[in-house]
Amino acid sequence: MANRILVISTFIAIACAVVTSFEPSPLQDFCVADPTSSAKVNGLACLDSKMVQANHFSFSGLHIPGNTSNALGSAVTPVFVGQIPGLNTLGISMARIDYAPWGLIPPHSHPRATEILTVLEGRLLVGFVTSNPDNRLITKVLEKGDVFVFPIGLVHFQRNVGLGSAFSISSLSSQNPGVLLVANTLFGSTPSIPNDILAKAFQVDKSLVEKLQAQF
């Protein structure tokens, strides 16, 4: 099983890098991220290439299920530049996503990446919403081995609709795709978006907005 996951993950990563590359192409062999650098650049400063080791390009543990004992019943194991410094400037990353029965990855978007998801176990309901003015929901139930693409910046979601647990692998066209959870963004911002603005936007009473904000 571990070998199958590795082969599939590698294929997805290569395909995503070639087809959906979004970030500028690197001008050197690699630019391993140096998190200790105080330099301000678009991304992370490069570590001295003489200090680069194999561990800067590797990550262990993607075969280990995430802990889904939470309110959403899901867990994301990221493999971004924070986990593999060698991803810096390469425009690609990936993640393992685990789902308890009826587990949910709530509506969210990635402002800097297209995502391609492959179901490796279970059955998922997935979908995304197009931009204004159509706001069209495009959705599909995926079975084991199915692949689905979430275009960059569009709100999307995943839900386990199978009989047991599920997990998937996603590749993303950015070393740091970012994530905007719709509910958290609107009702859990710091400082809070004024109640009257949200109440008018959603055409609801302010008391309901306050109740929602209290959840975040």
Side-chain angles (χ1 to χ4, degrees):
M1 174 61 76
N3 288 337
R4 288 174 57 202
I5 293 174
L6 178 61
V7 171
I8 293 172
S9 301
T10 302
F11 174 80
I12 294 172
I14 293 172
C16 190
V18 172
V19 177
T20 64
S21 181
F22 175 75
E23 296 172 346
S25 298
L27 301 178
Q28 61 279 317
D29 288 344
F30 50 76
C31 174
V32 171
D34 181 5
T36 65
S37 174
S38 60
K40 302 297 182 183
V41 297
N42 184 22
L44 295 168
C46 301
L47 184 68
D48 185 338
S49 60
K50 296 182 179 63
M51 300 174 63
V52 170
Q53 304 293 329
N55 64 297
H56 290 124
F57 298 92
S58 67
F59 174 86
S60 298
L62 205 61
H63 64 293
I64 301 172
N67 183 5
T68 58
S69 299
N70 53 61
L72 294 174
S74 63
V76 178
T77 303
V79 188
F80 298 165
V81 69
Q83 289 72 43
I84 300 183
L87 286 176
N88 194 36
T89 76
L90 297 184
I92 191 170
S93 60
M94 65 188 306
R96 171 179 175 139
I97 309 171
D98 289 275
Y99 314 79
W102 295 103
L104 173 71
I105 296 294
H108 66 285
S109 67
H110 301 295
R112 295 181 290 275
T114 289
E115 176 180 355
I116 182 167
L117 176 147
T118 301
V119 179
L120 295 183
E121 199 66 53
R123 193 166 185 255
L124 299 179
L125 170 67
V126 304
F128 64 85
V129 180
T130 64
S131 56
N132 285 335
D134 292 341
N135 294 320
R136 181 184 171 203
L137 174 62
I138 296 177
T139 184
K140 182 177 176 65
V141 173
L142 304 181
E143 308 288 347
K144 182 177 180 179
D146 289 348
V147 177
F148 197 82
V149 175
F150 303 115
I152 184 171
L154 296 187
V155 173
H156 58 281
F157 63 88
Q158 299 106 258
R159 186 175 190 180
N160 181 6
V161 293
L163 298 178
S165 298
F167 84 95
S168 60
I169 293 287
S170 287
S171 287
L172 302 107
S173 60
S174 171
Q175 67 184 44
N176 183 26
V179 61
L180 294 174
L181 294 167
V182 174
N184 299 59
T185 300
L186 292 174
F187 300 106
S189 66
T190 303
S192 298
I193 298 174
N195 291 355
D196 60 324
I197 291 178
L198 291 175
K200 190 168 186 177
F202 287 96
Q203 296 294 291
V204 297
D205 190 82
K206 288 184 182 180
S207 62
L208 178 57
V209 172
E210 291 171 356
K211 184 178 294 187
L212 290 169
Q213 287 176 324
Q215 303 299 312
F216 299 94

